[in-house]
Amino acid sequence: MDVINNQFILNKFGFLGAGFSNEIQKNAIVATIKAKTEIIQEGQKNKYVPFLVKGSIKVFSLNDGRELIYYYIRPNDSCLMTFSSIFSDYISRVYAIAEEDSEVLLIPVSVVHEWLIKFPEINRVFYSEYDKRFSDVMNMVNEAVFHRLDRRVLSYIKQQISITGNHPIKLTHREIASSLGTSREVVSRVLKKIENEGEIVQSKEGIKIPVKENVSPV
């Protein structure tokens, strides 16, 4: 267990005052999670509401071994689907995996219930999360319904670069296929196609998005 990041508390919950900061120091747990570690799986009971301090977490469901990604939790965010479960059966309906080494602030669900009564202004935090996640899910649906697979693959690569800060980024064809609900063979063909079109460069170091130079008019 790590020391609670006071700056994170101030940035996320400072509007609730010093009294709330003391509540966090008293009740929260900070956990360090290694990359590719499963945090929770579908059907498990949620014991904590997580807030991500640093790193990234993928939230998804599985169907016949294929992933359907709902959203990524980024620093300063929480998992909305975990929060919503504490008002019903506490059972997770999703999987969550750390995409990279991450630090998470864990708050027991019983404490969150108390805070919603004692500090009603905390609802602002969760309303904000609802807005972000609704936008994420709408974007996911639009990508799946309206975009060709080559655009979806390219968008996924750019998203992973943005989330991790790694460029080039190491992504296997199987990993991309699983995340987009298709086969590895199809992804391999798509990657070759967009590489030939100059959209990406593949090497031993990973996949890179080349910088396109602006051509000045003659």
Side-chain angles (χ1 to χ4, degrees):
M1 186 175 71
D2 298 329
V3 176
I4 294 178
N5 187 315
N6 288 315
Q7 189 59 49
F8 172 83
I9 294 173
L10 184 63
N11 292 341
K12 188 72 177 178
F13 304 106
F15 69 95
L16 290 166
F20 189 76
S21 295
N22 294 334
E23 288 278 334
I24 291 181
Q25 294 288 353
K26 183 172 66 175
N27 294 288
I29 299 168
V30 177
T32 299
I33 302 170
K34 293 294 184 182
K36 306 306 177 186
T37 300
E38 184 177 82
I39 299 169
I40 197 164
Q41 60 180 255
E42 184 179 356
Q44 252 185 327
K45 187 170 183 178
N46 287 312
K47 298 179 181 179
Y48 301 96
V49 174
F51 289 89
L52 189 62
V53 179
K54 64 181 180 182
S56 65
I57 295 172
K58 177 172 65 177
V59 178
F60 62 99
S61 63
L62 280 177
N63 187 0
D64 292 331
R66 293 184 176 181
E67 295 179 3
L68 175 62
I69 299 173
Y70 293 122
Y71 51 81
Y72 289 88
I73 305 174
R74 303 193 184 193
N76 216 38
D77 289 347
S78 180
C79 181
L80 178 63
M81 297 188 82
T82 299
F83 175 70
S84 63
S85 77
I86 73 173
F87 296 102
S88 52
D89 54 11
Y90 294 77
I91 301 301
S92 176
R93 293 167 178 79
V94 295
Y95 293 83
I97 289 179
E99 284 283 275
E100 55 186 324
D101 291 350
S102 301
E103 184 178 312
V104 183
L105 186 75
L106 301 172
I107 302 176
V109 293
S110 59
V111 173
V112 174
H113 277 298
E114 292 175 7
W115 286 352
L116 290 170
I117 298 170
K118 190 175 179 181
F119 302 93
E121 280 294 301
I122 198 176
N123 281 293
R124 283 170 47 188
V125 173
F126 296 110
Y127 291 148
S128 175
E129 294 296 327
Y130 270 103
D131 183 59
K132 288 180 194 174
R133 299 307 158 220
F134 182 76
S135 296
D136 286 342
V137 171
M138 287 299 296
N139 288 337
M140 180 268 291
V141 171
N142 286 333
E143 286 273 345
V145 174
F146 297 113
H147 291 189
R148 300 196 319 266
L149 185 57
D150 57 349
R151 296 300 93 188
R152 291 173 60 203
V153 168
L154 187 59
S155 176
Y156 177 78
I157 293 168
K158 290 178 178 178
Q159 182 186 53
Q160 294 305 301
I161 291 171
S162 174
I163 289 171
T164 65
N166 297 329
H167 193 216
I169 185 165
K170 285 190 174 293
L171 292 168
T172 67
H173 295 193
R174 188 175 300 280
E175 182 180 356
I176 297 172
S178 178
S179 296
L180 297 181
T182 186
S183 69
R184 181 186 60 79
E185 293 78 11
V186 169
V187 166
S188 296
R189 289 197 295 270
V190 169
L191 288 172
K192 190 63 179 177
K193 174 180 178 290
I194 61 179
E195 183 175 32
N196 290 337
E197 293 171 349
E199 298 283 2
I200 64 169
V201 175
Q202 298 186 84
S203 68
K204 290 186 294 184
E205 285 72 39
I207 303 174
K208 187 173 183 178
I209 306 293
V211 177
K212 295 184 179 180
E213 297 181 1
N214 293 323
V215 178
S216 300
V218 178

